[in-house]
């Protein structure tokens, strides 16, 4: 009988009340059987009076259904329209209307599976919990999420033992930064996955505030690493370069042994862009992608935020970190900005760079810096000065 951590399900227990473990474990056992060791994907579920209906399909069926010229089971739906519908499903809530569940089942030539549950267990399982469980056996598409990438400079040149020590040092900086934010009552539900010589890092929450919190989280990770490097001997602490970007990606849970993992993996446009950006980043550099990100309905902005607007908003909210302890000394001020050259009026413009990767693909990026001034200790300067980037990129222009 497999068991896993339910921490993520209980994060909003205060608002929704506790969930009984017996009902959770019973439903998870049923979903595990449907998953069939990773053969199947559970696309969604719908509530029924005596249980739930699930749309369970072999993973290859999705690819076959959206292939050009694929049959649509006697309906007027084209393979392209089926693909759009699946995309809408995986990008939305796992709980579907019964009609939607059965329509998609007909298009994929798979009858929804009914799971009968005792009435007592049905009342013990709020929809949010069922969706969280189903998500572990499914695929989710996130349209716009910020992701940070940390990369160890010169990783391949170190011995295996030094590599292990450096990755452990980076992981410790991540955990330390998280602890400092938590102490300041800033809640960030971060997740990470390794790239081999670094980490992708993202916030499980999906809104503008969550993305800004991630950007500040990245600063604290880099700051902790910089302090550790100033005290380190030998190759025990990595030199880092970092990138920050926002975009779409798929999220899924790989198999670990005979069970799905308790932590997710991401793959998609945002990770591809970050991987190509980091190849061009220099040691110690922080690159920010040229993205647009939607705002919350409560925000003052009327349209999507550009990367420049996002950094401006992140700077406005840095007051939340004033007084945080770094290297045993409280922070007096933090400034984060995109670099550029001085203008005649005394202000500074922002340089946008166009870089090209080894595959010949080009993209626009910004060079970012973070200046952290502590009350007594030496200041911490993160990133590279604009003056050192005269030969960076294939094109540079000023905003």
């Amino acid at each position: 009988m497999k068991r896993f951590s339910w921490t993520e399900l209980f994060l909003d227990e205060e608002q929704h009340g506790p969930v009984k473990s017996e009902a959770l474990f019973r439903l998870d056992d049923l979903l595990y059987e449907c998953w069939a060791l990773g053969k199947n994907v559970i696309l969604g579920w719908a509530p029924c009076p005596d249980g739930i209906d699930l749309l369970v399909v072999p993973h290859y069926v999705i690819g076959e259904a959206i292939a050009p010229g694929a049959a649509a089971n006697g309906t007027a739906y084209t393979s392209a329209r089926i693909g759009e519908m699946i995309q809408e499903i995986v990008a939305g809530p796992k709980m579907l209307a019964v009609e939607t569940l059965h329509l998609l089942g007909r298009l994929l030539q798979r009858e929804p599976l009914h799971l009968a549950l005792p009435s007592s267990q049905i009342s013990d399982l709020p929809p949010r919990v069922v969706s969280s469980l189903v998500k572990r056996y499914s695929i989710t598409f996130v349209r716009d999420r910020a992701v940070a990438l940390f990369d160890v400079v010169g990783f391949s040149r170190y011995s295996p033992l030094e590599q292990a020590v450096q990755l452990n040092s980076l992981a410790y900086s991540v955990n330390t930064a998280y602890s400092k934010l938590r102490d300041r009552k800033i809640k960030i539900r971060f997740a990470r996955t390794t790239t081999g010589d670094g980490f992708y890092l993202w916030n499980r929450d999906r809104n503008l505030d969550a993305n800004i919190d991630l950007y500040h989280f990245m600063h604290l990770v880099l700051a902790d690493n910089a302090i550790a490097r100033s005290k380190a001997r030998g190759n025990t602490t990595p030199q880092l370069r970092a990138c920050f970007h926002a975009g779409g990606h798929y999220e899924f849970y790989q198999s670990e042994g005979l069970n799905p993992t308790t932590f997710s993996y991401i793959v998609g446009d945002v990770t591809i862009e970050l991987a190509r950006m980091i190849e061009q980043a220099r040691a110690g550099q922080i690159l920010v992608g040229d993205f647009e990100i939607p705002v919350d309905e409560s925000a003052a902005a009327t349209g999507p935020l550009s990367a420049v607007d996002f950094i401006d908003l992140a700077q406005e909210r840095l007051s939340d970190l004033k007084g945080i302890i770094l290297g045993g000394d409280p922070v007096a001020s933090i400034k984060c900005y995109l670099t550029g050259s001085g203008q005649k009026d005394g202000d500074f413009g922002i340089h946008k760079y166009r870089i090209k990767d080894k595959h010949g693909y080009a993209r626009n990026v910004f060079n970012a810096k973070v200046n952290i001034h502590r009350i007594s200790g030496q200041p911490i300067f993160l990133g590279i000065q604009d003056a050192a980037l005269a030969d960076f990129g294939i094109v540079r222009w000023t905003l």
Side-chain angles (χ1 to χ4, degrees):
M1 185 77 66
K2 67 191 187 319
R3 291 293 181 258
F4 58 89
S5 170
W6 302 95
T7 303
E8 186 173 346
L9 297 179
F10 296 148
L11 287 173
D12 55 354
E13 184 176 300
E14 293 181 0
Q15 286 74 29
H16 297 274
V19 180
K20 294 184 178 179
S21 297
E22 182 180 349
L24 285 171
F25 292 140
R26 172 58 182 158
L27 177 58
D28 185 57
D29 286 337
L30 294 173
L31 296 177
Y32 178 78
E33 293 176 8
C34 296
W35 180 65
L37 304 181
K39 174 185 176 182
N40 297 324
V41 172
I42 303 177
L43 286 178
W45 72 282
C48 299
D50 61 340
I52 62 174
D53 283 350
L54 300 170
L55 184 55
V56 182
V57 301
H59 55 80
Y60 60 82
V61 167
I62 299 174
E64 292 177 348
I66 63 177
N73 198 24
T75 71
Y77 283 75
T78 63
S79 58
R81 179 64 188 101
I82 295 175
E84 291 173 0
M85 187 174 182
I86 292 175
Q87 185 79 346
E88 292 169 3
I89 295 297
V90 300
K94 295 305 175 189
M95 179 177 165
L96 307 175
V98 174
E99 298 79 10
T100 302
L101 190 81
H102 283 262
L103 171 60
L104 188 57
R106 288 197 301 273
L107 295 175
L108 297 178
Q109 302 183 41
R110 288 295 187 280
E111 278 292 321
L113 177 66
H114 179 68
L115 294 184
L117 298 172
S119 58
S120 60
Q121 290 191 2
I122 295 175
S123 61
D124 289 339
L125 292 170
R128 68 178 178 94
V129 174
V130 177
S131 293
S132 293
L133 284 174
V134 168
K135 184 179 178 181
R136 295 184 67 235
Y137 302 97
S138 187
I139 299 173
T140 301
F141 180 72
V142 180
R143 299 188 187 279
D144 294 282
R145 176 186 268 157
V147 180
L149 173 58
F150 299 96
D151 185 76
V152 177
V153 176
F155 185 78
S156 62
R157 297 196 298 268
Y158 296 112
S159 69
L161 180 56
E162 288 174 326
Q163 290 177 346
V165 170
Q166 291 203 358
L167 287 177
N168 188 71
S169 175
L170 174 55
Y172 179 71
S173 290
V174 171
N175 294 338
T176 300
Y178 171 74
S179 177
K180 293 182 184 300
L181 286 177
R182 185 180 59 185
D183 291 343
R184 304 286 293 187
K185 309 301 181 184
I186 299 174
K187 296 180 179 179
I188 179 168
R189 299 173 58 210
F190 84 89
R192 71 181 176 216
T193 185
T194 182
T195 63
D197 50 4
F199 295 121
Y200 286 116
L201 199 69
W202 66 97
N203 195 337
R204 289 190 178 97
D205 290 333
R206 294 158 57 180
N207 53 51
L208 179 59
D209 286 341
N211 291 329
I212 291 175
D213 287 343
L214 179 69
Y215 194 62
H216 296 332
F217 188 22
M218 182 180 75
H219 298 165
L220 294 182
V221 173
L222 293 172
D224 186 84
N225 167 261
I227 293 170
R229 277 184 59 81
S230 69
K231 301 176 181 179
R233 295 181 179 179
N235 297 321
T236 58
T237 305
Q239 183 179 22
L240 299 177
R241 52 185 179 174
C243 294
F244 185 91
H245 193 48
H249 67 80
Y250 292 90
E251 187 172 2
F252 64 100
Y253 293 76
Q254 287 187 337
S255 299
E256 188 174 85
L258 300 180
N259 300 319
T261 57
T262 57
F263 51 89
S264 58
Y265 293 80
I266 60 174
V267 63
D269 290 340
V270 67
T271 58
I272 292 171
E273 288 297 300
L274 283 167
R276 290 174 175 168
M277 287 164 59
I278 205 73
E279 289 177 355
Q280 305 302 311
R282 297 180 176 179
Q285 190 171 19
I286 305 170
L287 290 180
V288 173
D290 188 14
F291 59 81
E292 285 193 341
I293 198 165
V295 298
D296 304 326
E297 293 181 358
S298 59
T302 57
L305 290 177
S306 68
V308 174
D309 295 331
F310 178 87
I311 299 301
D312 286 343
L313 189 56
Q315 172 62 36
E316 292 176 10
R317 300 190 184 182
L318 274 173
S319 58
D320 294 340
L321 301 183
K322 186 176 181 179
I324 201 167
I325 306 298
L326 290 178
D329 193 37
V331 167
S333 66
I334 303 180
K335 182 179 181 181
C336 66
Y337 58 97
L338 302 177
T339 67
S341 55
Q343 307 295 305
K344 292 181 178 179
D345 59 3
D347 289 336
F348 279 82
I350 294 175
H351 285 155
K352 182 188 288 190
Y353 299 87
R354 190 159 184 82
I355 58 176
K356 183 181 291 185
D357 62 30
K358 61 184 179 181
H359 303 289
Y361 295 106
R363 59 197 39 81
N364 300 329
V365 297
F366 301 94
N367 181 63
K369 276 194 74 352
V370 183
N371 300 337
I372 303 174
H373 293 274
R374 295 180 288 175
I375 292 178
S376 301
Q378 291 293 319
I380 302 171
F381 299 118
L382 305 173
I384 294 179
Q385 292 280 6
D386 185 79
L389 298 173
D391 60 342
F392 182 71
I394 55 176
V395 179
R396 181 179 74 173
W397 62 97
T398 303
L399 301 184

